[in-house]
């Protein structure tokens, strides 16, 4: 019999009315002939309230006791939900994480799931009852209660769907799914019927948070189709699955991270290990950063500056500067991996609005630019428009719909899953070497609107396909732009950019005739921080200099000298052997 997992978040169980409404949804699903597992979060803002209470007692509550405390929120919800179902004349059994057998490691307040028992849930389901599982919690090997980190009920839901081989995992929330961008910022944002795991992960990382990212990684790993939908209506939501909605469209969504800060270290000596000196100091302050463009959240600025000051001194770099008033605008789409001209279209559209691009970073399915905060909403509107995101893609097949519409893929994975240890471990599925490119750098490009557009349009007009682009801030009022092109096009590209440089009044391009791009891709790269750091330090240790870096949710790319390519590949394979599949 088919199994449907239905997860109800805090707002969907905020009061008794809402609990009853959720109970009715589950009963309706059961009546359609499915077995139903509900996963519930704590009511409303209950978890926040418990955190506040703890803080009233002490500034530094023990993590173990925090978990003991926070897990009570979900325990309240599951009991009330079971009562609601009973009151409607149906059968249900509430279960805590421990009662189900959700085993985690012992890192309290951010535990990772290691394994899940299915026997007890199956027995309850086979007896015709609804299982009501407490989200967000588990138990370690010494029977201590653990929690999975804030928002962790999504992860519980997807994990249960994975081990049970459920047909779908429905996430009920206060929005009716995923939009092409935040509808509160842009009213023309369009609801999307379907989005791929990778696109959702990338969008979540650049500011479009609908679900806990970790749960999407999980869904991807075990091929669980996820349906995000509204608790308060029956309209179809968004299916998060392996394939994108419209593969021929380059972009599926755009997002804005408003409060970013940019820190630039000037004159960093170009030698192995320079980047790792800066990054490890910043990471030690627990500041997350976007490695390529090196921008950090504005709130983290003071801590970052301290770390950067130390690193600057240690490296003998010239100095550093920062800007706390910038925003990051990103576009994401699987289609751009196979299409050319996406980046220059974006740059041109921004240039036409007079918007200056401070930094650029591209990866396989994402392009991010940094702009000043005052023009950020306009920049978002501009990119949303240029990629036609407000209109429904023509090739759209029926996605979403009422109930599960995706084929059941999870079952096969499930048997394997139930037995494997470390469900949430980092998994590297590919380390690749591509030694077919060359790198070109234009330094000291005058920093004004339209420059990036001009550079990449002229290169495209020359019939040259650009792969990775990194634009960083150079000296006062100038930018440095590096990019890779196929090696066969290098001479042509040098001629083109030399001519362009003289017109722009900047120095002639420099290049590296043969570079190698190394990509490490996998699942869990976002939640297991330190993949990039491990890459940099293992390369630095053997004296390999990193020329360019670009990171995304599912991949870290570095560009090194081609002569070092094979050696770098061997070093990385060795570094990640323990987690490679
Ligand atoms: N109640 C927990 C939280 O608020 C878990 C969840 O809602 O997913 O973070
Ligand atoms: Mg919550």
């Amino acid at each position: 019999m088919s199994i449907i997992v239905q997860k109800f978040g805090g707002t969907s169980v905020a009061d008794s009315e809402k609990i009853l409404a959720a109970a009715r949804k589950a009963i309706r699903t059961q009546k359609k002939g499915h077995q139903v597992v509900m996963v519930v979060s704590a009511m409303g803002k209950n978890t926040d309230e418990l955190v506040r209470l703890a803080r009233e007692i002490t500034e530094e509550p023990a993590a173990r006791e925090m978990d003991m405390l926070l897990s009570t929120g979900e325990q309240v919800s599951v009991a009330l939900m079971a009562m609601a179902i009973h009151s409607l004349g149906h059968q249900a059994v509430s279960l805590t994480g421990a009662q189900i057998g959700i085993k985690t490691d012992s890192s309290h307040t951010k535990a990772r799931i290691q394994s899940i028992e299915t026997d007890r849930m199956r027995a309850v389901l086979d007896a015709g009852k609804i299982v009501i599982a407490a989200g967000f919690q588990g138990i370690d090997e010494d029977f201590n209660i653990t929690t999975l980190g804030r928002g962790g009920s999504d992860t519980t839901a997807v994990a249960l769907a994975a081990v049970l081989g459920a047909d779908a995992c429905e996430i009920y929330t206060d929005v009716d799914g995923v939009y092409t961008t935040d509808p509160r910022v842009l009213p023309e944002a369009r609801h999307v019927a379907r989005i791929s795991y990778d696109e959702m992960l990338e969008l979540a990382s650049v500011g479009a948070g609908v679900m806990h990212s970790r749960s999407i990684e999980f869904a991807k790993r075990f091929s669980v189709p996820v349906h995000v939908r509204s608790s308060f209506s029956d309209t179809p939501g968004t299916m998060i699955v392996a394939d994108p909605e419209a593969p021929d469209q380059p972009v599926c969504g755009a997002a804005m991270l408003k409060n970013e800060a940019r820190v630039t270290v000037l004159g960093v000596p170009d030698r192995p290990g320079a980047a790792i000196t800066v990054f490890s100091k910043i990471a030690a302050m627990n500041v997350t950063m976007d490695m390529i463009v090196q921008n950090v959240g504005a709130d983290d600025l003071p801590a970052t500056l301290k770390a950067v000051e130390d690193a600057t001194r240690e490296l003998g770099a010239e100095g550093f500067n920062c800007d706390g008033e910038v925003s990051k605008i990103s576009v994401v789409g699987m289609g751009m991996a196979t299409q050319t001209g996406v980046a220059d279209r974006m740059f041109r559209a921004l240039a036409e609005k007079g918007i200056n691009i401070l930094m650029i970073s591209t990866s396989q399915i994402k392009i991010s630019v940094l702009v000043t905060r005052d023009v950020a909403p306009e920049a978002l509107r501009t990119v949303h428009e240029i990629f036609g995101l407000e209109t429904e893609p023509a090739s759209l097949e029926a996605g979403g719909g009422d109930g599960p519409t995706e084929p059941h893929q999870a079952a096969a994975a499930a048997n394997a899953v139930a037995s494997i240890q470390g469900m949430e471990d980092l998994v590297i599925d590919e380390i690749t070497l591509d030694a077919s490119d060359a790198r070109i750098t234009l330094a000291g490009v005058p920093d004004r609107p339209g420059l990036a557009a001009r550079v990449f349009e002229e290169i495209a007009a020359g019939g040259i396909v650009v792969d990775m682009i990194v634009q960083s801030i150079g000296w006062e009022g100038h930018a440095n732009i590096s990019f890779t092109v196929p090696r066969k096009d290098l001479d042509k590209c040098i001629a083109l950019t030399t001519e362009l440089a003289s017109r722009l009044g900047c120095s002639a391009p420099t290049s590296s005739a043969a570079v190698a791009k190394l990509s490490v891709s996998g699942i869990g790269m976002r939640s297991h921080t330190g993949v990039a750091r491990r890459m940099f330090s293992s390369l630095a240790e053997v004296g390999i200099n990193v020329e360019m870096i670009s990171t995304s949710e599912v991949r870290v790319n570095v560009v090194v000298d081609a002569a070092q390519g094979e050696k770098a590949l061997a070093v990385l394979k060795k570094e990640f052997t323990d987690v490679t599949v």
Side-chain angles (χ1 to χ4, degrees), residues 352-416:
E352 264 157 23
K353 294 278 169 64
I355 295 171
N356 192 27
I357 299 172
L358 302 174
M359 289 185 168
I360 302 169
S361 120
T362 68
S363 73
Q364 276 79 354
I365 67 163
K366 176 176 73 182
I367 303 167
S368 298
V369 297
L370 210 64
V371 299
T372 54
R373 201 168 296 160
D374 54 327
V375 298
E378 207 201 338
L380 180 68
R381 179 168 308 115
T382 304
V383 299
H384 194 268
E385 197 188 326
I386 192 73
F387 291 114
L389 291 178
E390 71 290 346
T391 43
E392 199 85 23
S395 62
L396 184 58
E397 316 146 33
D402 195 9
T405 53
E406 287 300 314
H408 173 123
Q409 305 162 310
N415 298 330

Side-chain angles (χ1 to χ4, degrees), residues 96-180:
T96 64
Q99 287 174 326
I100 293 169
I102 300 182
K103 299 265 167 53
T104 71
D105 62 18
S106 302
S107 31
H108 285 288
T109 74
K110 46 180 186 304
R112 289 177 178 282
I113 299 176
Q114 291 180 329
S115 63
I116 299 177
E117 308 282 336
T118 54
D119 294 354
R120 184 154 184 187
M121 286 188 289
R122 287 204 193 277
V124 174
L125 292 172
D126 290 343
K129 299 174 188 175
I130 293 175
V131 168
I132 305 178
F136 171 60
Q137 54 176 266
I139 196 167
D140 76 1
E141 43 170 25
D142 296 322
F143 305 99
N144 295 301
I145 295 176
T146 54
T147 64
L148 307 180
R150 296 303 308 270
S153 297
D154 286 341
T155 300
T156 305
V158 177
L160 293 186
V163 293
L164 290 167
D167 283 57
C169 179
E170 302 181 343
I171 305 285
Y172 287 94
T173 176
D174 50 357
V175 294
D176 62 359
V178 178
Y179 282 73
T180 50

Side-chain angles (χ1 to χ4, degrees), residues 6-10 12-14 19-20 22-23 37-44 46 70-87 91-100 102 121 130-137 153 156 160:
Q6 300 187 320
K7 181 255 172 179
F8 293 87
S12 310
V13 293
I19 292 178
L20 282 159
V37 175
M38 295 177 88
V39 174
V40 272
S41 293
M43 294 171 68
N46 183 294
L70 297 190
S71 64
T72 61
E74 272 68 17
Q75 204 172 320
V76 169
S77 310
V78 287
L80 293 174
M81 188 63 77
M83 293 174 196
I85 291 180
H86 298 161
S87 76
Q91 293 188 301
V93 178
S94 64
L95 296 171
T96 64
Q99 287 174 326
I100 293 169
I102 300 182
M121 286 188 289
I130 293 175
V131 168
I132 305 178
F136 171 60
Q137 54 176 266
S153 297
T156 305
L160 293 186

Side-chain angles (χ1 to χ4, degrees), residues 75-323:
Q75 204 172 320
V76 169
S77 310
V78 287
L80 293 174
M81 188 63 77
M83 293 174 196
I85 291 180
H86 298 161
S87 76
L88 296 166
H90 289 260
Q91 293 188 301
V93 178
S94 64
L95 296 171
T96 64
Q99 287 174 326
I100 293 169
I102 300 182
K103 299 265 167 53
T104 71
D105 62 18
S106 302
S107 31
H108 285 288
T109 74
K110 46 180 186 304
R112 289 177 178 282
I113 299 176
Q114 291 180 329
S115 63
I116 299 177
E117 308 282 336
T118 54
D119 294 354
R120 184 154 184 187
M121 286 188 289
R122 287 204 193 277
V124 174
L125 292 172
D126 290 343
K129 299 174 188 175
I130 293 175
V131 168
I132 305 178
F136 171 60
Q137 54 176 266
I139 196 167
D140 76 1
E141 43 170 25
D142 296 322
F143 305 99
N144 295 301
I145 295 176
T146 54
T147 64
L148 307 180
R150 296 303 308 270
S153 297
D154 286 341
T155 300
T156 305
V158 177
L160 293 186
V163 293
L164 290 167
D167 283 57
C169 179
E170 302 181 343
I171 305 285
Y172 287 94
T173 176
D174 50 357
V175 294
D176 62 359
V178 178
Y179 282 73
T180 50
T181 195
D182 187 344
R184 287 166 304 184
V185 182
L186 276 198
E188 58 267 43
R190 182 178 56 84
H191 179 265
V192 297
R194 189 170 82 193
I195 191 164
S196 69
Y197 298 126
D198 284 352
E199 288 168 334
M200 195 64 244
L201 278 167
E202 295 287 10
L203 277 173
S205 78
V206 290
V210 185
M211 274 180 79
H212 206 213
S213 290
R214 204 164 125 203
S215 64
I216 302 163
E217 290 181 343
F218 229 104
K220 179 183 172 187
R221 180 177 303 180
F222 299 114
S223 305
V224 176
V226 173
H227 188 181
V228 181
R229 53 194 314 193
S230 167
S231 322
F232 312 120
S233 79
D234 272 330
T235 53
T238 301
M239 291 300 303
I240 308 177
V241 292
D243 297 320
E245 181 179 72
D248 44 325
Q249 276 217 169
V251 171
C252 73
M256 168 169 79
L257 271 176
K258 214 158 179 201
N259 298 319
E260 297 280 286
R262 171 192 60 76
V263 176
T264 306
V265 183
L266 299 164
V268 177
D270 190 19
R271 61 165 192 250
I276 188 72
T277 308
V278 179
F279 296 138
S280 57
K281 285 215 158 40
I282 296 175
M285 315 289 281
N286 267 327
V287 175
T288 42
M289 62 206 138
D290 188 328
M291 301 275 189
I292 339 104
V293 290
Q294 298 159 41
N295 53 323
V296 296
D299 292 346
D300 296 327
L301 194 54
T304 307
L305 291 183
K306 172 79 187 61
V308 169
E309 207 181 301
D310 288 353
T312 305
R313 209 174 312 116
E314 201 168 298
L315 285 170
E318 282 159 25
F320 64 93
N321 61 38
C322 71
D323 180 347

